[in-house]
Amino acid sequence: MREMKASKFVRTGRAGALLLAGLASAGSAAAMPQAEFACKVRALDGKIGLVLVQADSRALAEKSAIGAQAFTTDNMRSRATEVLQCIVPGEERFADYQFQQFFESLPL
């Protein structure tokens, strides 16, 4: 009889663990930002660079890009100080043709 009770608890424990894991993954999926943005920024040294951001809106993407590490057009990294433009890749293009070419040349 003890074996039967123990196996009942093991089954319940496994089901409970699966339920908790499912709830945790459902909650974390809901917290993920809805869109990806590519932002053209000016970095600390005045150079132009790119910051990729996941955010729920363009305004939040712009806020998140400030202070982030940018990949500059001379293949260096520098902290972003100003956002010049944020786009949704695949749906929009940068107004600056040369920067758009730089963006498209990156292996993302």
Side-chain angles (χ1 to χ4, degrees):
M1 187 148 164
R2 282 184 178 216
E3 287 180 32
M4 193 165 96
K5 283 185 180 179
S7 67
K8 180 180 176 184
F9 288 119
V10 169
R11 282 186 297 208
T12 305
R14 286 183 186 161
L18 289 173
L19 177 63
L20 287 176
L23 290 174
S25 66
S28 63
M32 290 297 294
Q34 296 299 311
E36 293 181 4
F37 294 89
C39 297
K40 177 183 177 185
V41 298
R42 186 173 318 279
L44 275 174
D45 51 11
K47 295 180 181 173
I48 300 299
L50 174 73
V51 174
L52 300 176
V53 180
Q54 285 188 309
D56 289 326
S57 69
R58 193 176 313 270
L60 289 174
E62 291 173 358
K63 280 185 175 183
S64 297
I66 298 291
Q69 286 293 314
F71 183 70
T72 63
T73 55
D74 64 350
N75 298 323
M76 301 297 288
R77 293 201 176 270
S78 185
R79 190 164 311 281
T81 58
E82 177 186 4
V83 174
L84 303 174
Q85 182 184 7
C86 286
I87 65 165
V88 177
E91 295 178 17
E92 302 171 326
R93 299 177 65 80
F94 287 104
D96 178 345
Y97 176 78
Q98 288 181 326
F99 191 78
Q100 180 67 35
Q101 294 300 307
F102 166 72
F103 174 64
E104 289 174 3
S105 73
L106 298 174
L108 302 176

